[in-house]
Amino acid sequence: GENVEQHPSTLSVQEGDSAVIKCTYSDSASNYFPWYKQELGKRPQLIIDIRSNVGEKKDQRIAVTLNKTAKHFSLHITETQPEDSAVYFCAASSNQAGTALIFGKGTTLSVSS
Amino acid sequence: DSGVTQTPKHLITATGQRVTLRCSPRSGDLSVYWYQQSLDQGLQFLIQYYNGEERAKGNILERFSAQQFPDLHSELNLSSLELGDSALYFCASSVVGRGDSTDTQYFGPGTRLTVL
């Protein structure tokens, strides 16, 4: 089955810096890659997603890139703000048997002002 | 607010007991997913239902079962509870959840289960 690896597990940046989180997946049939942000004790919230027919997607300060050949995808946050501090999860879905999301272990992002 | 509701918010029970967690999907969503989030295992997929039928199974223990009712709400039943079952249980829903395209999953607020 699918396996998703996420790095780094923790990331500390200064306000205004960029943050990059990387994920790799194992199942070449995976075709959907969402990113979720989770604040302490809250639900995971979708912040951006990308499908396998697209190489890059941007939404204001957030961008995601996908390299299908290498089976990795990355989240880029520019001009980080303290409110960006949270746990970020990448996920992959292959649509082979159901459409469940297989999540990475998460990255705790801390943005200090 | 995602539109997905879960009850109860918190549940405290003892080892060996049985509990039922409830989820109501967003209006119009046909698929319901259950995920378990524990500190050491992260977010793990348990099971998916689509329009009343089981669609996919993940790392769901035999002590756990789920169903989706005709009104599309879902229940996750956990029995013979162990200390290690303490976790946050999330339900998510999506419009379809089958076919060629995976659609967005929206998560509910979760049920925090504590087994003492």
Side-chain angles (χ1 to χ4, degrees), chain B residues 40-99:
Chain B
D40 56 343
Q41 293 294 323
L43 271 161
Q44 288 211 310
F45 167 66
L46 296 179
I47 196 164
Q48 177 194 358
Y49 277 82
Y50 169 75
N51 204 21
E53 294 188 2
E54 183 184 301
R55 181 84 176 98
K57 260 187 177 179
N59 299 320
I60 188 166
L61 300 172
E62 285 191 12
R63 301 183 285 108
F64 296 1
S65 65
Q67 54 184 326
Q68 186 179 28
F69 295 86
D71 66 352
L72 300 177
H73 90 271
S74 177
E75 293 181 357
L76 178 67
N77 301 295
L78 315 176
S79 61
S80 302
L81 285 167
E82 301 176 359
L83 296 177
D85 296 328
S86 295
L88 257 175
Y89 290 84
F90 286 105
C91 163
S93 73
S94 68
V95 173
V96 180
R98 62 178 299 167

Tab-separated table of all heavy atoms in Angstrom, chain B residues 40-99:
chain	number	residue	atom	x	y	z
B	40	ASP	N	1.679	8.870	18.619
B	40	ASP	CA	2.790	8.125	18.022
B	40	ASP	C	2.506	7.630	16.611
B	40	ASP	O	3.437	7.294	15.879
B	40	ASP	CB	3.163	6.940	18.932
B	40	ASP	CG	1.974	6.031	19.198
B	40	ASP	OD1	0.832	6.465	18.971
B	40	ASP	OD2	2.189	4.882	19.632
B	41	GLN	N	1.246	7.606	16.197
B	41	GLN	CA	0.916	7.050	14.876
B	41	GLN	C	0.418	8.084	13.883
B	41	GLN	O	0.160	7.772	12.739
B	41	GLN	CB	-0.142	5.939	15.015
B	41	GLN	CG	0.343	4.709	15.735
B	41	GLN	CD	1.422	3.988	14.958
B	41	GLN	OE1	1.404	3.906	13.739
B	41	GLN	NE2	2.411	3.479	15.674
B	42	GLY	N	0.251	9.321	14.308
B	42	GLY	CA	-0.231	10.325	13.371
B	42	GLY	C	-1.668	10.060	12.958
B	42	GLY	O	-2.433	9.411	13.661
B	43	LEU	N	-2.022	10.531	11.768
B	43	LEU	CA	-3.378	10.369	11.240
B	43	LEU	C	-3.441	9.092	10.418
B	43	LEU	O	-2.799	8.981	9.381
B	43	LEU	CB	-3.740	11.551	10.340
B	43	LEU	CG	-4.371	12.765	10.996
B	43	LEU	CD1	-4.238	13.978	10.104
B	43	LEU	CD2	-5.837	12.489	11.302
B	44	GLN	N	-4.248	8.137	10.885
B	44	GLN	CA	-4.338	6.856	10.185
B	44	GLN	C	-5.758	6.601	9.700
B	44	GLN	O	-6.718	6.734	10.467
B	44	GLN	CB	-3.916	5.726	11.128
B	44	GLN	CG	-2.430	5.700	11.406
B	44	GLN	CD	-1.931	4.282	11.665
B	44	GLN	OE1	-2.522	3.578	12.468
B	44	GLN	NE2	-0.877	3.887	10.994
B	45	PHE	N	-5.850	6.191	8.451
B	45	PHE	CA	-7.134	5.873	7.846
B	45	PHE	C	-7.666	4.578	8.429
B	45	PHE	O	-6.961	3.571	8.517
B	45	PHE	CB	-6.965	5.751	6.334
B	45	PHE	CG	-8.131	5.121	5.626
B	45	PHE	CD1	-9.363	5.764	5.601
B	45	PHE	CD2	-8.002	3.904	4.986
B	45	PHE	CE1	-10.446	5.187	4.940
B	45	PHE	CE2	-9.071	3.324	4.327
B	45	PHE	CZ	-10.300	3.962	4.305
B	46	LEU	N	-8.942	4.582	8.799
B	46	LEU	CA	-9.572	3.379	9.335
B	46	LEU	C	-10.485	2.725	8.301
B	46	LEU	O	-10.315	1.557	7.954
B	46	LEU	CB	-10.370	3.708	10.594
B	46	LEU	CG	-9.573	4.210	11.794
B	46	LEU	CD1	-10.503	4.529	12.962
B	46	LEU	CD2	-8.519	3.203	12.213
B	47	ILE	N	-11.478	3.494	7.811
B	47	ILE	CA	-12.466	2.885	6.935
B	47	ILE	C	-13.211	3.973	6.169
B	47	ILE	O	-13.320	5.105	6.642
B	47	ILE	CB	-13.440	2.002	7.748
B	47	ILE	CG1	-14.229	1.047	6.862
B	47	ILE	CG2	-14.339	2.848	8.634
B	47	ILE	CD1	-14.892	-0.092	7.628
B	48	GLN	N	-13.683	3.624	4.970
B	48	GLN	CA	-14.488	4.525	4.147
B	48	GLN	C	-15.806	3.876	3.790
B	48	GLN	O	-15.850	2.689	3.439
B	48	GLN	CB	-13.757	4.888	2.847
B	48	GLN	CG	-14.584	5.777	1.906
B	48	GLN	CD	-14.016	5.851	0.496
B	48	GLN	OE1	-12.973	5.274	0.201
B	48	GLN	NE2	-14.701	6.573	-0.379
B	49	TYR	N	-16.881	4.663	3.834
B	49	TYR	CA	-18.180	4.246	3.339
B	49	TYR	C	-18.621	5.194	2.237
B	49	TYR	O	-18.368	6.400	2.293
B	49	TYR	CB	-19.221	4.243	4.465
B	49	TYR	CG	-19.172	2.976	5.275
B	49	TYR	CD1	-18.244	2.821	6.298
B	49	TYR	CD2	-20.023	1.909	4.983
B	49	TYR	CE1	-18.167	1.646	7.015
B	49	TYR	CE2	-19.961	0.725	5.706
B	49	TYR	CZ	-19.027	0.606	6.716
B	49	TYR	OH	-18.950	-0.563	7.423
B	50	TYR	N	-19.233	4.612	1.235
B	50	TYR	CA	-19.780	5.394	0.141
B	50	TYR	C	-21.233	5.003	-0.051
B	50	TYR	O	-21.533	3.846	-0.359
B	50	TYR	CB	-18.992	5.165	-1.156
B	50	TYR	CG	-19.657	5.745	-2.377
B	50	TYR	CD1	-19.636	7.106	-2.614
B	50	TYR	CD2	-20.330	4.916	-3.273
B	50	TYR	CE1	-20.274	7.643	-3.719
B	50	TYR	CE2	-20.967	5.433	-4.375
B	50	TYR	CZ	-20.941	6.800	-4.596
B	50	TYR	OH	-21.573	7.332	-5.686
B	51	ASN	N	-22.111	5.951	0.166
B	51	ASN	CA	-23.546	5.762	-0.057
B	51	ASN	C	-24.077	4.481	0.612
B	51	ASN	O	-24.841	3.724	0.009
B	51	ASN	CB	-23.829	5.721	-1.563
B	51	ASN	CG	-25.255	6.115	-1.885
B	51	ASN	OD1	-25.933	6.768	-1.097
B	51	ASN	ND2	-25.732	5.698	-3.046
B	52	GLY	N	-23.617	4.259	1.814
B	52	GLY	CA	-24.128	3.146	2.602
B	52	GLY	C	-23.318	1.867	2.529
B	52	GLY	O	-23.566	0.940	3.307
B	53	GLU	N	-22.357	1.829	1.616
B	53	GLU	CA	-21.581	0.594	1.467
B	53	GLU	C	-20.110	0.822	1.827
B	53	GLU	O	-19.544	1.871	1.528
B	53	GLU	CB	-21.677	0.088	0.029
B	53	GLU	CG	-23.081	-0.345	-0.354
B	53	GLU	CD	-23.117	-1.006	-1.706
B	53	GLU	OE1	-22.048	-1.159	-2.337
B	53	GLU	OE2	-24.225	-1.368	-2.150
B	54	GLU	N	-19.504	-0.204	2.401
B	54	GLU	CA	-18.083	-0.119	2.705
B	54	GLU	C	-17.287	-0.025	1.417
B	54	GLU	O	-17.465	-0.839	0.506
B	54	GLU	CB	-17.646	-1.341	3.512
B	54	GLU	CG	-16.196	-1.304	3.941
B	54	GLU	CD	-15.797	-2.592	4.657
B	54	GLU	OE1	-16.400	-2.927	5.692
B	54	GLU	OE2	-14.859	-3.259	4.155
B	55	ARG	N	-16.373	0.951	1.352
B	55	ARG	CA	-15.625	1.190	0.114
B	55	ARG	C	-14.163	0.783	0.251
B	55	ARG	O	-13.569	0.288	-0.683
B	55	ARG	CB	-15.719	2.672	-0.231
B	55	ARG	CG	-15.018	3.091	-1.491
B	55	ARG	CD	-15.878	2.873	-2.723
B	55	ARG	NE	-15.188	3.375	-3.909
B	55	ARG	CZ	-14.504	2.601	-4.746
B	55	ARG	NH1	-14.437	1.292	-4.532
B	55	ARG	NH2	-13.907	3.129	-5.794
B	56	ALA	N	-13.591	1.049	1.397
B	56	ALA	CA	-12.180	0.714	1.599
B	56	ALA	C	-11.904	0.576	3.091
B	56	ALA	O	-12.554	1.203	3.924
B	56	ALA	CB	-11.279	1.789	1.005
B	57	LYS	N	-10.933	-0.296	3.394
B	57	LYS	CA	-10.526	-0.499	4.780
B	57	LYS	C	-9.057	-0.193	4.921
B	57	LYS	O	-8.244	-0.555	4.068
B	57	LYS	CB	-10.759	-1.963	5.171
B	57	LYS	CG	-12.010	-2.222	5.955
B	57	LYS	CD	-12.056	-3.673	6.427
B	57	LYS	CE	-13.267	-3.926	7.274
B	57	LYS	NZ	-13.354	-5.308	7.734
B	58	GLY	N	-8.730	0.444	6.025
B	58	GLY	CA	-7.326	0.709	6.316
B	58	GLY	C	-6.898	-0.093	7.515
B	58	GLY	O	-7.226	-1.266	7.650
B	59	ASN	N	-6.202	0.557	8.428
B	59	ASN	CA	-5.690	-0.132	9.616
B	59	ASN	C	-6.738	-0.209	10.719
B	59	ASN	O	-6.498	0.220	11.839
B	59	ASN	CB	-4.455	0.608	10.141
B	59	ASN	CG	-3.346	0.626	9.121
B	59	ASN	OD1	-3.106	-0.358	8.440
B	59	ASN	ND2	-2.663	1.760	9.006
B	60	ILE	N	-7.867	-0.784	10.415
B	60	ILE	CA	-8.932	-0.868	11.400
B	60	ILE	C	-8.867	-2.214	12.111
B	60	ILE	O	-8.778	-3.262	11.486
B	60	ILE	CB	-10.319	-0.626	10.759
B	60	ILE	CG1	-11.398	-0.520	11.838
B	60	ILE	CG2	-10.633	-1.667	9.702
B	60	ILE	CD1	-12.707	0.049	11.341
B	61	LEU	N	-8.880	-2.148	13.448
B	61	LEU	CA	-8.814	-3.367	14.245
B	61	LEU	C	-10.129	-4.143	14.143
B	61	LEU	O	-11.185	-3.574	13.868
B	61	LEU	CB	-8.549	-3.006	15.712
B	61	LEU	CG	-7.237	-2.251	15.990
B	61	LEU	CD1	-7.210	-1.784	17.438
B	61	LEU	CD2	-6.041	-3.116	15.674
B	62	GLU	N	-10.059	-5.442	14.397
B	62	GLU	CA	-11.271	-6.259	14.342
B	62	GLU	C	-12.262	-5.863	15.436
B	62	GLU	O	-13.466	-6.091	15.295
B	62	GLU	CB	-10.899	-7.743	14.491
B	62	GLU	CG	-10.291	-8.312	13.234
B	62	GLU	CD	-10.165	-9.829	13.302
B	62	GLU	OE1	-10.758	-10.433	14.216
B	62	GLU	OE2	-9.479	-10.394	12.448
B	63	ARG	N	-11.754	-5.254	16.515
B	63	ARG	CA	-12.631	-4.791	17.603
B	63	ARG	C	-13.431	-3.553	17.202
B	63	ARG	O	-14.323	-3.121	17.931
B	63	ARG	CB	-11.793	-4.448	18.841
B	63	ARG	CG	-10.970	-5.592	19.378
B	63	ARG	CD	-10.218	-5.197	20.637
B	63	ARG	NE	-9.068	-4.356	20.395
B	63	ARG	CZ	-9.003	-3.066	20.684
B	63	ARG	NH1	-10.035	-2.456	21.229
B	63	ARG	NH2	-7.898	-2.375	20.460
B	64	PHE	N	-13.070	-2.951	16.073
B	64	PHE	CA	-13.744	-1.741	15.617
B	64	PHE	C	-14.639	-2.096	14.435
B	64	PHE	O	-14.272	-2.913	13.579
B	64	PHE	CB	-12.734	-0.690	15.166
B	64	PHE	CG	-11.824	-0.159	16.247
B	64	PHE	CD1	-11.893	-0.618	17.559
B	64	PHE	CD2	-10.881	0.810	15.946
B	64	PHE	CE1	-11.048	-0.121	18.540
B	64	PHE	CE2	-10.027	1.321	16.917
B	64	PHE	CZ	-10.115	0.849	18.214
B	65	SER	N	-15.768	-1.437	14.345
B	65	SER	CA	-16.647	-1.626	13.184
B	65	SER	C	-17.340	-0.307	12.905
B	65	SER	O	-17.377	0.589	13.756
B	65	SER	CB	-17.668	-2.726	13.444
B	65	SER	OG	-18.542	-2.334	14.490
B	66	ALA	N	-17.858	-0.188	11.708
B	66	ALA	CA	-18.539	1.051	11.347
B	66	ALA	C	-19.696	0.724	10.426
B	66	ALA	O	-19.793	-0.374	9.870
B	66	ALA	CB	-17.570	2.014	10.663
B	67	GLN	N	-20.584	1.676	10.257
B	67	GLN	CA	-21.641	1.558	9.277
B	67	GLN	C	-22.101	2.951	8.860
B	67	GLN	O	-21.867	3.930	9.575
B	67	GLN	CB	-22.809	0.727	9.817
B	67	GLN	CG	-23.384	1.186	11.125
B	67	GLN	CD	-24.476	0.231	11.627
B	67	GLN	OE1	-25.217	-0.344	10.834
B	67	GLN	NE2	-24.575	0.050	12.930
B	68	GLN	N	-22.726	2.989	7.690
B	68	GLN	CA	-23.306	4.239	7.207
B	68	GLN	C	-24.783	3.979	6.961
B	68	GLN	O	-25.157	3.021	6.275
B	68	GLN	CB	-22.626	4.717	5.923
B	68	GLN	CG	-23.102	6.089	5.468
B	68	GLN	CD	-22.410	6.582	4.204
B	68	GLN	OE1	-21.966	5.785	3.376
B	68	GLN	NE2	-22.323	7.891	4.051
B	69	PHE	N	-25.608	4.841	7.495
B	69	PHE	CA	-27.047	4.641	7.464
B	69	PHE	C	-27.669	5.296	6.224
B	69	PHE	O	-27.020	6.084	5.548
B	69	PHE	CB	-27.643	5.202	8.755
B	69	PHE	CG	-27.195	4.446	9.982
B	69	PHE	CD1	-26.008	4.766	10.624
B	69	PHE	CD2	-27.951	3.381	10.468
B	69	PHE	CE1	-25.577	4.058	11.735
B	69	PHE	CE2	-27.528	2.674	11.583
B	69	PHE	CZ	-26.342	3.007	12.210
B	70	PRO	N	-28.946	4.958	5.938
B	70	PRO	CA	-29.604	5.546	4.756
B	70	PRO	C	-29.594	7.069	4.722
B	70	PRO	O	-29.575	7.656	3.633
B	70	PRO	CB	-31.034	4.995	4.850
B	70	PRO	CG	-30.869	3.681	5.539
B	70	PRO	CD	-29.776	3.895	6.550
B	71	ASP	N	-29.578	7.715	5.889
B	71	ASP	CA	-29.526	9.191	5.868
B	71	ASP	C	-28.082	9.688	5.740
B	71	ASP	O	-27.832	10.889	5.825
B	71	ASP	CB	-30.184	9.783	7.123
B	71	ASP	CG	-29.406	9.453	8.401
B	71	ASP	OD1	-28.450	8.649	8.343
B	71	ASP	OD2	-29.755	10.009	9.454
B	72	LEU	N	-27.150	8.776	5.542
B	72	LEU	CA	-25.724	8.987	5.273
B	72	LEU	C	-24.894	9.307	6.515
B	72	LEU	O	-23.662	9.438	6.390
B	72	LEU	CB	-25.500	10.068	4.207
B	72	LEU	CG	-26.131	9.748	2.853
B	72	LEU	CD1	-25.927	10.890	1.873
B	72	LEU	CD2	-25.566	8.453	2.271
B	73	HIS	N	-25.496	9.390	7.688
B	73	HIS	CA	-24.648	9.552	8.856
B	73	HIS	C	-23.947	8.228	9.126
B	73	HIS	O	-24.381	7.161	8.657
B	73	HIS	CB	-25.444	10.062	10.071
B	73	HIS	CG	-26.028	8.989	10.944
B	73	HIS	ND1	-27.283	8.452	10.734
B	73	HIS	CD2	-25.521	8.377	12.042
B	73	HIS	CE1	-27.517	7.549	11.664
B	73	HIS	NE2	-26.479	7.470	12.470
B	74	SER	N	-22.861	8.294	9.843
B	74	SER	CA	-22.062	7.100	10.075
B	74	SER	C	-21.771	6.956	11.569
B	74	SER	O	-21.737	7.954	12.310
B	74	SER	CB	-20.747	7.182	9.299
B	74	SER	OG	-19.927	6.056	9.564
B	75	GLU	N	-21.591	5.730	11.980
B	75	GLU	CA	-21.205	5.434	13.355
B	75	GLU	C	-19.995	4.517	13.365
B	75	GLU	O	-19.913	3.592	12.557
B	75	GLU	CB	-22.370	4.793	14.122
B	75	GLU	CG	-23.519	5.742	14.331
B	75	GLU	CD	-24.672	5.131	15.116
B	75	GLU	OE1	-24.605	3.928	15.453
B	75	GLU	OE2	-25.634	5.860	15.397
B	76	LEU	N	-19.086	4.815	14.275
B	76	LEU	CA	-17.895	3.993	14.469
B	76	LEU	C	-18.023	3.361	15.852
B	76	LEU	O	-18.151	4.067	16.850
B	76	LEU	CB	-16.630	4.841	14.382
B	76	LEU	CG	-15.296	4.125	14.601
B	76	LEU	CD1	-15.016	3.136	13.481
B	76	LEU	CD2	-14.150	5.128	14.720
B	77	ASN	N	-18.038	2.035	15.888
B	77	ASN	CA	-18.178	1.306	17.135
B	77	ASN	C	-16.831	0.736	17.553
B	77	ASN	O	-16.170	0.051	16.766
B	77	ASN	CB	-19.177	0.162	16.964
B	77	ASN	CG	-20.544	0.661	16.548
B	77	ASN	OD1	-21.201	1.370	17.299
B	77	ASN	ND2	-20.969	0.302	15.349
B	78	LEU	N	-16.445	1.030	18.780
B	78	LEU	CA	-15.175	0.546	19.322
B	78	LEU	C	-15.490	-0.326	20.530
B	78	LEU	O	-16.151	0.134	21.464
B	78	LEU	CB	-14.284	1.724	19.746
B	78	LEU	CG	-14.183	2.911	18.769
B	78	LEU	CD1	-13.333	4.022	19.385
B	78	LEU	CD2	-13.600	2.476	17.445
B	79	SER	N	-15.038	-1.574	20.507
B	79	SER	CA	-15.369	-2.473	21.609
B	79	SER	C	-14.108	-3.024	22.260
B	79	SER	O	-12.999	-2.883	21.718
B	79	SER	CB	-16.245	-3.612	21.099
B	79	SER	OG	-15.567	-4.361	20.115
B	80	SER	N	-14.305	-3.640	23.413
B	80	SER	CA	-13.195	-4.215	24.195
B	80	SER	C	-12.035	-3.223	24.255
B	80	SER	O	-10.891	-3.540	23.938
B	80	SER	CB	-12.727	-5.529	23.568
B	80	SER	OG	-13.780	-6.445	23.482
B	81	LEU	N	-12.363	-2.020	24.665
B	81	LEU	CA	-11.399	-0.919	24.593
B	81	LEU	C	-10.154	-1.172	25.422
B	81	LEU	O	-10.212	-1.743	26.527
B	81	LEU	CB	-12.065	0.383	25.025
B	81	LEU	CG	-13.014	0.976	23.977
B	81	LEU	CD1	-13.859	2.076	24.589
B	81	LEU	CD2	-12.233	1.489	22.778
B	82	GLU	N	-9.023	-0.738	24.874
B	82	GLU	CA	-7.729	-0.843	25.536
B	82	GLU	C	-7.170	0.558	25.714
B	82	GLU	O	-7.602	1.504	25.048
B	82	GLU	CB	-6.787	-1.691	24.675
B	82	GLU	CG	-7.306	-3.089	24.407
B	82	GLU	CD	-6.404	-3.863	23.465
B	82	GLU	OE1	-5.377	-3.312	23.005
B	82	GLU	OE2	-6.731	-5.036	23.177
B	83	LEU	N	-6.184	0.665	26.604
B	83	LEU	CA	-5.578	1.972	26.860
B	83	LEU	C	-5.056	2.596	25.571
B	83	LEU	O	-5.173	3.806	25.356
B	83	LEU	CB	-4.427	1.834	27.868
B	83	LEU	CG	-4.792	1.375	29.272
B	83	LEU	CD1	-3.541	1.229	30.126
B	83	LEU	CD2	-5.762	2.353	29.931
B	84	GLY	N	-4.524	1.765	24.703
B	84	GLY	CA	-3.938	2.250	23.459
B	84	GLY	C	-4.945	2.778	22.446
B	84	GLY	O	-4.549	3.329	21.428
B	85	ASP	N	-6.216	2.600	22.735
B	85	ASP	CA	-7.250	3.120	21.827
B	85	ASP	C	-7.526	4.600	22.094
B	85	ASP	O	-8.254	5.242	21.331
B	85	ASP	CB	-8.548	2.334	21.991
B	85	ASP	CG	-8.391	0.878	21.600
B	85	ASP	OD1	-7.576	0.587	20.692
B	85	ASP	OD2	-9.063	0.019	22.211
B	86	SER	N	-6.957	5.130	23.165
B	86	SER	CA	-7.120	6.550	23.456
B	86	SER	C	-6.534	7.351	22.302
B	86	SER	O	-5.359	7.171	21.934
B	86	SER	CB	-6.397	6.914	24.758
B	86	SER	OG	-6.988	6.265	25.856
B	87	ALA	N	-7.332	8.223	21.725
B	87	ALA	CA	-6.914	8.980	20.543
B	87	ALA	C	-8.007	9.961	20.176
B	87	ALA	O	-9.091	9.967	20.759
B	87	ALA	CB	-6.660	8.028	19.360
B	88	LEU	N	-7.696	10.780	19.167
B	88	LEU	CA	-8.700	11.629	18.532
B	88	LEU	C	-9.230	10.870	17.331
B	88	LEU	O	-8.430	10.378	16.516
B	88	LEU	CB	-8.057	12.921	18.033
B	88	LEU	CG	-8.255	14.218	18.812
B	88	LEU	CD1	-7.441	15.328	18.191
B	88	LEU	CD2	-9.715	14.600	18.876
B	89	TYR	N	-10.520	10.771	17.202
B	89	TYR	CA	-11.134	10.092	16.066
B	89	TYR	C	-11.834	11.140	15.208
B	89	TYR	O	-12.745	11.827	15.663
B	89	TYR	CB	-12.108	9.022	16.537
B	89	TYR	CG	-11.383	7.860	17.176
B	89	TYR	CD1	-11.013	7.891	18.517
B	89	TYR	CD2	-11.031	6.735	16.430
B	89	TYR	CE1	-10.309	6.851	19.102
B	89	TYR	CE2	-10.330	5.682	17.009
B	89	TYR	CZ	-9.966	5.759	18.339
B	89	TYR	OH	-9.264	4.721	18.913
B	90	PHE	N	-11.360	11.241	13.973
B	90	PHE	CA	-11.940	12.202	13.041
B	90	PHE	C	-12.782	11.485	12.004
B	90	PHE	O	-12.432	10.409	11.517
B	90	PHE	CB	-10.844	12.984	12.311
B	90	PHE	CG	-10.156	14.016	13.156
B	90	PHE	CD1	-8.881	13.782	13.641
B	90	PHE	CD2	-10.774	15.219	13.447
B	90	PHE	CE1	-8.226	14.733	14.413
B	90	PHE	CE2	-10.131	16.173	14.221
B	90	PHE	CZ	-8.858	15.921	14.702
B	91	CYS	N	-13.832	12.156	11.650
B	91	CYS	CA	-14.638	11.757	10.515
B	91	CYS	C	-14.420	12.815	9.433
B	91	CYS	O	-14.244	13.996	9.744
B	91	CYS	CB	-16.108	11.713	10.957
B	91	CYS	SG	-17.302	11.707	9.645
B	92	ALA	N	-14.394	12.389	8.195
B	92	ALA	CA	-14.306	13.322	7.077
B	92	ALA	C	-15.355	12.923	6.050
B	92	ALA	O	-15.795	11.761	6.018
B	92	ALA	CB	-12.912	13.303	6.449
B	93	SER	N	-15.750	13.872	5.225
B	93	SER	CA	-16.693	13.514	4.165
B	93	SER	C	-16.265	14.155	2.852
B	93	SER	O	-15.525	15.142	2.824
B	93	SER	CB	-18.121	13.931	4.525
B	93	SER	OG	-18.319	15.332	4.453
B	94	SER	N	-16.680	13.561	1.770
B	94	SER	CA	-16.438	14.126	0.444
B	94	SER	C	-17.663	13.866	-0.415
B	94	SER	O	-18.480	12.995	-0.115
B	94	SER	CB	-15.182	13.521	-0.195
B	94	SER	OG	-15.375	12.171	-0.514
B	95	VAL	N	-17.731	14.612	-1.518
B	95	VAL	CA	-18.926	14.550	-2.354
B	95	VAL	C	-19.150	13.148	-2.897
B	95	VAL	O	-20.220	12.574	-2.802
B	95	VAL	CB	-18.819	15.559	-3.516
B	95	VAL	CG1	-19.986	15.374	-4.474
B	95	VAL	CG2	-18.801	16.981	-2.986
B	96	VAL	N	-18.075	12.592	-3.471
B	96	VAL	CA	-18.231	11.290	-4.120
B	96	VAL	C	-17.304	10.267	-3.472
B	96	VAL	O	-17.731	9.420	-2.730
B	96	VAL	CB	-17.962	11.374	-5.627
B	96	VAL	CG1	-18.124	10.011	-6.270
B	96	VAL	CG2	-18.896	12.380	-6.268
B	97	GLY	N	-16.004	10.371	-3.758
B	97	GLY	CA	-15.064	9.434	-3.171
B	97	GLY	C	-14.919	8.163	-3.964
B	97	GLY	O	-14.620	7.104	-3.433
B	98	ARG	N	-15.158	8.252	-5.251
B	98	ARG	CA	-14.922	7.108	-6.123
B	98	ARG	C	-14.744	7.637	-7.534
B	98	ARG	O	-14.968	8.798	-7.800
B	98	ARG	CB	-16.073	6.115	-6.066
B	98	ARG	CG	-17.411	6.671	-6.529
B	98	ARG	CD	-18.487	5.605	-6.493
B	98	ARG	NE	-18.175	4.496	-7.374
B	98	ARG	CZ	-18.816	3.338	-7.349
B	98	ARG	NH1	-19.772	3.116	-6.477
B	98	ARG	NH2	-18.497	2.371	-8.186
B	99	GLY	N	-14.359	6.770	-8.416
B	99	GLY	CA	-14.200	7.213	-9.792
B	99	GLY	C	-12.781	7.656	-10.081
B	99	GLY	O	-11.850	7.301	-9.371
